[in-house]
Amino acid sequence: MYVLGIETSCDETSASVVENGRQILSCQTSSSIKFHKKYGGIVPEIASRMQLETITMVSDSAIKEAKIRLKDIGLISVTNEPGLLGSLLVGISFAKAVSFGADIPLLGINHLHSHIYAAFLQHLNNKHISLPFIALIVSGGHTSLFYVRDFDKISILGSTLDDACGEAFDKVAKIMGLDYPGGPYIEKLAKDGNPKKIKFPCSDTDAHLNFSFSGIKTAVLYYVNKSMVHSPQSIDKRKNYGLLTMDYGLLCDIAASFQEAVINTLIKKSLLACKTKKINQLIVGGGVAANNRLREKLSEAGKTNNIQVFFPAKEFCMDNAAMVAGLGYRLFKKNRLYCKKS
Ligand code: KG4
Ligand code: ZN
């Protein structure tokens, strides 16, 4: 069965055709990120206006690339929560119109649940994943641990009490004078830095499976303010990243130390969730799951603790419609119909 997925929960407009929940025939994604950069974060009004302009084109080209016709599609699967309201409205309205016009069933999909599903898409080792498992979703808007008994039986074990993990990367990047979104820039700088140089606290929470990232962000802010110098050094390297008047080596150490503290917290809580639930499979998803250091360290920690860790292919960590189409297929097969044309 061919499923058309539509994803417009944040700044991306994405459409994808997936066959039988796994085989990605196409995935077209248009991002409005360059229009948000100068504001240092997503401006919802800009995002939804761009989505309105691009959704028809993106969906048409996804269907064309999949070499199928609209009438071949057996289900339209659309992100319906959580996300930016205006952006969701564009995707849902478009999906409803196509569903009504072409007489195709329609299913609404939870964005976080679709991030969990990303690891099941065309993934070499996903054949080994069996239910139940623990899922860690780390994105720009969310940081949550889930207990997944099945794709329609997902319960939350813990989540962030303040900033999301990706949001912390973005805010720290801004403090360091880096571009938006900050995660990839921090990761790049961190490669040249010493992760043990600075002890940034990544605060613990009363409930063991919750997260808190606002404290570490403030700690980085104080450290950066304290470390600013007035004689520019290492200008050549720094100009690629930002205009902070700070030694390039120190900038790298801050990035590496921040990243390490965050990753250690993610590892600690994920392993704790697995132990608490007596589960030895962990799936990771969301934009931060593209981080190489997290992928390496968590996989390593998994091996030591006898827990299998699965990541989606990097391109499916970020928001995309393939994961929405894939999860749609799985839920449709379980008769979870959200809205069907009469
Ligand atoms: O899942 P996503 O595309 O959007 C949301 O649903 O929020 O995640 C975007 C987030 C941004 O905060 C971005 O900085 C972060 O993922 N991110 C990373 C990396 N790549 C993207 N964070 C750390 N390391 C990366 N390599
Ligand atoms: Zn997302």
Side-chain angles (χ1 to χ4, degrees):
M1 182 170 117
Y2 299 121
V3 179
L4 172 66
I6 307 278
E7 153 62 37
T8 60
S9 67
C10 193
D11 63 298
E12 281 94 358
T13 309
S14 183
S16 167
V17 176
V18 173
E19 190 177 3
N20 296 334
R22 278 187 191 266
Q23 198 63 28
I24 302 165
L25 302 186
S26 65
C27 187
Q28 295 281 336
T29 304
S30 148
S31 167
S32 58
I33 199 81
K34 65 174 184 222
F35 300 103
H36 305 278
K37 274 185 190 284
K38 69 173 173 185
Y39 303 103
I42 303 295
V43 181
E45 187 65 23
I46 295 177
S48 57
R49 280 173 191 269
M50 295 302 296
Q51 282 157 333
L52 205 52
E53 282 176 27
T54 52
I55 188 138
T56 309
M57 200 177 62
V58 168
S59 304
D60 276 351
S61 54
I63 293 171
K64 211 171 273 172
E65 192 197 339
K67 296 192 174 54
I68 59 163
R69 286 161 302 175
L70 187 60
K71 70 179 181 56
D72 299 326
I73 291 169
L75 173 74
I76 298 175
S77 179
V78 60
T79 306
N80 69 346
E81 60 160 354
L84 301 173
L85 284 184
S87 295
L88 288 172
L89 187 64
V90 173
I92 294 169
S93 307
F94 178 81
K96 274 188 172 174
V98 179
S99 158
F100 186 78
D103 198 13
I104 303 170
L106 175 69
L107 193 61
I109 295 290
N110 178 295
H111 180 63
L112 300 179
H113 296 179
S114 65
H115 269 304
I116 299 174
Y117 192 82
F120 286 79
L121 292 166
Q122 269 180 336
H123 204 245
L124 288 179
N125 57 0
N126 66 4
K127 291 202 177 71
H128 307 300
I129 309 173
S130 57
L131 293 159
F133 56 79
I134 299 293
L136 168 72
I137 299 305
V138 269
S139 72
H142 301 270
T143 305
S144 305
L145 277 163
F146 295 98
Y147 178 47
V148 183
R149 282 184 293 140
D150 203 339
F151 283 100
D152 58 348
K153 293 189 187 77
I154 300 180
S155 45
I156 191 147
L157 298 174
S159 57
T160 182
L161 302 177
D162 38 58
D163 291 347
C165 185
E167 188 182 358
F169 270 92
D170 296 337
K171 287 178 174 171
V172 162
K174 196 172 179 191
I175 291 168
M176 294 169 68
L178 309 174
D179 217 342
Y180 177 85
Y185 294 100
I186 299 235
E187 179 176 5
K188 212 168 169 198
L189 277 181
K191 271 197 202 133
D192 291 338
N194 174 2
K196 294 193 177 134
K197 181 74 186 280
I198 310 151
K199 280 251 162 305
F200 286 126
C202 204
S203 44
D204 225 332
T205 51
D206 285 344
H208 294 319
L209 296 177
N210 282 342
F211 300 88
S212 168
F213 296 106
S214 70
I216 188 166
K217 170 197 68 191
T218 311
V220 174
L221 176 69
Y222 287 154
Y223 194 91
V224 166
N225 285 343
K226 194 182 76 186
S227 312
M228 295 266 254
V229 289
H230 296 293
S231 55
Q233 295 169 43
S234 312
I235 286 280
D236 289 352
K237 283 183 178 171
R238 272 191 295 107
K239 73 180 175 203
N240 294 325
Y241 293 103
L243 293 171
L244 260 195
T245 316
M246 192 188 290
D247 175 68
Y248 176 76
L250 181 56
L251 213 52
C252 295
D253 289 343
I254 296 173
S257 302
F258 161 76
Q259 179 179 267
E260 203 72 358
V262 169
I263 288 175
N264 287 343
T265 300
L266 295 177
I267 293 174
K268 188 175 102 184
K269 305 244 168 181
S270 302
L271 296 183
L272 184 60
C274 290
K275 279 179 192 154
T276 309
K277 286 288 177 185
K278 298 190 173 51
I279 298 279
N280 66 355
Q281 294 179 109
L282 172 69
I283 285 190
V284 192
V288 183
N291 185 289
N292 287 308
R293 182 83 177 156
L294 173 65
R295 292 170 90 96
E296 284 159 21
K297 281 201 79 175
L298 191 46
S299 303
E300 207 47 53
K303 270 185 205 143
T304 315
N305 289 275
N306 209 17
I307 292 167
Q308 280 185 292
V309 184
F310 300 93
F311 287 91
K314 277 198 197 161
E315 67 264 39
F316 297 112
C317 289
M318 311 296 261
D319 291 348
N320 67 85
M323 62 190 191
V324 181
L327 179 57
Y329 173 83
R330 285 287 278 259
L331 292 176
F332 188 73
K333 289 280 154 192
K334 293 183 130 260
N335 292 326
R336 291 256 145 189
L337 216 49
Y338 165 68
C339 159
K340 192 176 188 304
K341 184 180 180 289
S342 59

